[in-house]
Every structure is written in structure tokens, then in C-alpha cells.
Amino acid sequence: MSPDGPDWLSAARETLERATLGPRVEHRGRVEEIGDGVALISGLSDVRLDEVLHFAGGQVGFARVLDPDRIGCVMLDSGTDVEAGDVVFGTGEVVNVPVGEALLGRVIDPLGRPLDGKGAIAPEARWPIERPAPSIIERDLVTEPVQTGIVVVDTLFALGRGQRELIVGDHSTGKTTLAVDALIAQRDSDMICIYVAVGQKTSSVRRAIDALQAQGNFERCIVLVAGSASAPGLQWIAPYAGMTMAEYFRDKGQHAIIVIDDLSKHAATHREIALLTRQSPGREAYPGDVFYIHARLLERAAKLSPERGGGSLTALPIAETDQGNLSAYIPTNLISITDGQIVLDQTLFHQGQKPAVDVGLSVSRVGGKTQAPVLRAAAGTLRLDYAQFLELEVFTRFGGMPDGRVRQQLTRGARIREALRQPQHQPIRLVDEVALMLAVQTGLLDDLDEPLVAGFRAGLPAALDRDAASAVDAIASQGRLNDSTKAALLGAMTRLIDKLSADEPTP
């Protein structure tokens, strides 16, 4: 405003009234060294761990190492414009992220900044990325199932709300696909889905987002991305930021599921930061606290007691192995932290058995207590039967004609294997899983040619809705399998098998 204008004096008086007069305290330091996303800073003796630091050029970082003479600061922005001698300011605040309903349906970075071009986000609050895990007294038993829509998981390794289940396997064995399918299956449930990408390629993240948008309910999802090109600091805080965003819904009495893809790359980032900040290396050059950083992260997944609202947070962390080596440092750490693991095998994957789950090495330590009762009744001794088939199949490869009983076991096992095979991004309903297990366990598929099992599985939902609608509704509403619903399901499946057999071309 021009000083000659008529309102200049009143505007100047208003500016003076709004001004805060008096001394102002600034915590100021200087950059001693900068490189590879880490700055060593002196002069900030009062900084606390994980405190946000502002650089003179507008960049942001956080204090990760507190030595007596200097601070190890991990950059959350590009450090290319930061030079030695630049001024750094302490803020007194720890790293925090936005939380709330406004994040649903958005693609963001670990600081809550939008990456999808849909405009700014107005959060309900900002919470620190490091929050204490619920105490034992605040937790409840894990008894409610998480229906993943993946037959091999729901029938053999049932997951519960509040559980931590590791997905582990070699590179390109379907780990991300398995986790994304579990999120897609929540499109009709009451669970909020959070997908955290740590160090992943942009193309991989794009495929996951496209699958969630096309097949799932993306309006109930949060995608948090810290890609391979992101600053190391963003990759380091990403799992903690995602966990905080999920905890907002858990603490409100809602249910959430979070996928962290993956913690092997997160551990590598932690090792890089630790070595650059001159922490002592240990086994495989990882610092001694690498177990602790993942333990305190995954301990935050829990089922809360009714006094705390009864909400739950289920975690599906992903880890990568090298040549199936489950005894490597990071996989063994995560296996000991989590409540079970789903192991994906490279050989099975290349044989076309997808999902390539190794049923011998996989386990859910929560057990069948979380499995839907109707599915438990239908599956019966499936896991034992399948394990026996796999052993018998190995022995019969050496030659010789098996007797009638062994031949029947081999036939039944081959049908089980075909039933557990499933196309990606096509999770199925609970009632379809129940019917499929009934068909296998009752021997309904034994006389069906093995190549036709895939067609049977594909046509099953429509056949049940058409010929056994009352049984479908009864299972969906009551969650029980009685004689009448079982007979209705078997009748519908028998008609489907007859149709498939009749349509099969004669050789």
C-alpha cells in the first residue's frame, strides 16, 4: 500500500498491533559436512532425537544421531543445495504426519504431501511418527478373521485382525501381488487399507495403485510412496508414518490393515544412514539396532481391548530373500518379530503354481482360532492331505505303479493343488472358498479332468448365485455350514461339473 494513501496510517497501526514484540529464542547451528542425504551439524546441543531441523534454503531434515560434538541429520528433501557452513535451525518438534479421513483415496509421500495432483490435504490432526505400542493390558485376543480372498491363505494360514504376518520370498515371486490382493479383498469389508511402498520402482508402485483403483475400493485406501528415487530420510520414516496414519483409525475403534513393501529395503536404508553417520557396523554391516527399529514398528499392530474401543491394526510386512535363504539376518529378525510367515517359493512360481506359497515353510502362529468357522468346517484335514500328497508325489516320480489307495491320494492332491491356484487380483468370496473346499474334500473333483478345475473355479460364483442362492445368503449371514446348506452347495457344484464335462471336446 502506498504511504500516500488515505488508509496507510490505520493499516500501519494494525500491523504494529499484530506484531509480536520482545526477545525470540533461536536454536541455530551450522552444517559441518553434507553428502548422500546426511548432514553433520554442530552447535545444536539442545536438539532431541527425531527433532525436525530447518535449513536456510528451506530444506528439512531430522536429527537421527546425537553425539556430544555434532548431530547426524537425515535429509527429508534433496540436499544438493545445502553446503558446509549453511545455517540450520532447531524447531523443538519431532517428525509428525497428518492423520484423518482426508487421507483416504489419496497418494501421498511420508510427510503427507500429495503426489496425485488432487490438491492439498486438510488433515484432522498431526501425530508423531514414533508412538508407543499398546501395552499388554490394552490389548485383546486376536479372534476375528481377516478374509484375504486368497484360497491358500484363508484355508491354510488364516489371518486375524491385529495379527502381524510376514510375507517373505525371493525377488519376483509374487509378494506384492499377494499383499495387494489381500487389500483388494477388503473392498466390501469395514477395514481401512494402507499400502506403504519403500524403495520400490515407480512402475511397481503404479501397478499396485492401478490394481487397487480397478479392483478394490480405493476410496478406503491410503497409498504412501517413498520410491527408490526419494531421499533416504523419506524411505526411513515411511513405515512409521504409515503406521501412525493407520493407528488413527485403530484408536477410533475401526479396523485397518497395512502392507509395508518392503522392510528389506528399509533395513538397507537404515544401514546406509547408520554407516554415513558413523555408527558401529555389526552383522552384515547392519548396526546393532536394526532388530529394534523393526520390532518397535511392528509391535504397534494390535487388537485393542473393548475399553480402548476394540479397534484393530493388522500388519503385512514384506521381506525379500536371496536364493530362498530364510536364515539371512533381516528375514530371521522379522520372522521372530511377527506372528507367522507366508513363504513364497521361486520354483513353485516358475512352475505356474500361483500364489507360489510353500505350505511346508509357511505358518500362522495365531492358528485356526481366527479362521471363519464355516471355512474351518469345510476345509477339514486339507493341510494334512496336501502335505501327504506332496511327499507321495516325490516318491512316485522314481517310477513304479502306485496301488489304488495311493493313486486316489495322488488324484485328490492334484485337485487340491489346482484348487489352490488362483489368478492375480481376483480374490473370491468366503462362500466360494467354502464351496471349493467342500468340492475337494468330498471328492467331487476327483473325476473331473485336471485342466477343467480352473474352469470350475471360474464358474463357481455364478453357479452358486444361480442354483444355491439361499445357501449363499445363509452362509453370508449366519457363518455356519449345516446339512441343508451343504447339500445345496454340493447340488449346485454337481450341476456345474456335469456341464463342464458335457462341454469338454471329445479327443
Side-chain angles (χ1 to χ4, degrees):
M1 181 179 294
S2 172
D4 298 330
D7 297 329
W8 176 84
L9 185 59
S10 59
R13 284 174 176 167
E14 291 178 4
T15 302
L16 285 174
E17 290 174 358
R18 290 195 302 267
T20 302
L21 302 178
R24 183 177 64 181
V25 177
E26 280 187 353
H27 297 280
R28 179 179 297 198
R30 290 195 176 277
V31 177
E32 297 289 337
E33 299 179 32
I34 177 70
D36 298 315
V38 173
L40 300 180
I41 299 167
S42 63
L44 288 174
S45 57
D46 295 331
V47 164
R48 55 178 172 165
L49 190 66
D50 291 340
E51 180 174 334
V52 177
L53 305 179
H54 284 172
F55 290 77
Q59 298 86 355
V60 179
F62 67 98
R64 183 68 201 134
V65 178
L66 306 181
D67 288 335
D69 54 341
R70 62 171 129 192
I71 305 299
C73 172
V74 180
M75 302 295 297
L76 295 174
D77 292 313
S78 174
T80 53
D81 296 330
V82 179
E83 298 179 352
D86 285 356
V87 177
V88 186
F89 300 95
T91 63
E93 297 181 355
V94 296
V95 182
N96 57 71
V97 293
V99 297
E101 305 279 347
L103 297 176
L104 295 177
R106 301 299 301 269
V107 181
I108 57 177
D109 77 353
L111 294 177
R113 298 175 295 199
L115 300 175
D116 51 10
K118 295 182 180 179
I121 297 173
E124 297 181 23
R126 297 189 70 90
W127 288 6
I129 62 170
E130 293 274 10
R131 303 180 72 235
S135 62
I136 297 297
I137 200 66
E138 294 175 318
R139 297 175 183 247
D140 200 2
L141 297 176
V142 178
T143 56
E144 301 175 66
V146 175
Q147 290 300 133
T148 66
I150 304 168
V151 178
V152 67
V153 174
D154 289 342
T155 56
L156 302 182
F157 317 105
L159 305 184
R161 297 189 176 191
Q163 185 174 345
R164 300 154 298 178
E165 184 81 359
L166 177 67
I167 301 174
V168 59
D170 284 1
H171 179 67
S172 296
T173 51
K175 302 185 296 297
T176 299
T177 299
L178 184 72
V180 170
D181 284 354
L183 299 185
I184 291 174
Q186 311 311 315
R187 57 194 169 201
D188 297 320
S189 77
D190 59 348
M191 299 191 77
I192 302 294
C193 302
I194 297 95
Y195 176 76
V196 181
V198 183
Q200 300 297 316
K201 295 185 297 183
T202 303
S203 58
S204 301
V205 178
R206 183 72 261 175
R207 284 195 298 269
I209 294 174
D210 290 344
L212 288 172
Q213 289 177 334
Q215 309 293 335
N217 185 359
F218 194 72
E219 295 307 311
R220 292 179 60 81
C221 298
I222 301 172
V223 177
L224 192 152
V225 180
S228 56
S230 301
L234 287 180
Q235 296 183 44
W236 193 92
I237 70 170
Y240 299 94
M243 196 68 77
T244 294
M245 295 173 187
E247 284 175 332
Y248 169 84
F249 300 100
R250 182 201 68 188
D251 294 349
K252 284 181 61 179
Q254 297 177 264
H255 305 279
I257 180 171
I258 182 171
V259 170
I260 305 174
D261 188 11
D262 65 42
L263 286 181
S264 296
K265 291 183 173 61
H266 181 257
T269 300
H270 179 68
R271 174 173 59 184
E272 174 188 339
I273 291 173
L275 294 176
L276 289 170
T277 52
R278 300 174 186 175
Q279 290 179 266
S280 299
R283 178 179 168 185
E284 297 181 21
Y286 289 103
D289 64 344
V290 70
F291 180 93
Y292 173 64
I293 67 166
H294 287 158
R296 75 171 187 258
L297 169 72
L298 296 175
E299 279 294 324
R300 294 162 67 177
K303 174 70 169 70
L304 297 184
S305 64
E307 293 76 16
R308 282 287 308 274
S312 70
L313 174 53
T314 307
L316 297 179
I318 296 175
E320 186 173 305
T321 56
D322 184 18
Q323 296 299 313
N325 183 18
L326 290 175
S327 62
Y329 190 27
I330 300 305
T332 50
N333 281 351
L334 293 172
I335 287 172
S336 62
I337 293 168
T338 51
D339 304 314
Q341 67 276 353
I342 298 173
V343 181
L344 300 181
D345 182 74
Q346 195 173 49
T347 302
L348 291 175
F349 184 85
H350 293 308
Q351 289 174 352
Q353 182 66 29
K354 301 174 185 178
V357 177
D358 188 325
V359 298
L361 295 177
S362 303
V363 66
S364 174
R365 298 190 185 95
V366 175
K369 292 182 179 179
T370 62
Q371 193 171 32
V374 64
L375 186 57
R376 189 186 314 134
T381 59
L382 179 75
R383 184 170 185 177
L384 179 61
D385 294 342
Y386 190 46
Q388 290 176 343
F389 157 71
L390 293 176
E391 291 188 10
L392 283 174
E393 188 181 41
V394 172
F395 285 115
T396 54
R397 285 175 184 167
F398 295 105
M401 181 62 66
D403 59 25
R405 179 176 171 273
V406 174
R407 191 181 302 114
Q408 182 182 5
Q409 282 186 282
L410 291 172
T411 301
R412 180 72 54 83
R415 302 306 181 273
I416 294 175
R417 179 160 57 195
E418 285 300 314
L420 297 181
R421 202 189 301 263
Q422 190 168 346
Q424 68 174 0
H425 305 329
Q426 294 182 25
I428 65 176
R429 302 174 300 178
L430 173 62
V431 64
D432 300 330
E433 292 179 329
V434 171
L436 191 59
M437 290 303 100
L438 274 178
V440 170
Q441 293 294 74
T442 58
L444 206 60
L445 300 181
D446 288 358
D447 296 330
L448 187 66
D449 290 342
E450 196 170 329
L452 295 180
V453 175
F456 171 82
R457 185 180 56 243
L460 183 60
L464 294 180
D465 291 339
R466 182 181 63 250
D467 299 330
S470 58
V472 171
D473 294 337
I475 291 176
S477 59
Q478 301 172 10
R480 298 291 174 184
L481 186 66
N482 53 37
D483 292 340
S484 61
T485 56
K486 183 176 179 179
L489 294 178
L490 290 174
M493 290 188 291
T494 301
R495 286 189 285 274
L496 176 60
I497 290 174
D498 292 341
K499 182 179 183 301
L500 289 172
S501 300
D503 293 343
E504 184 181 11
T506 303

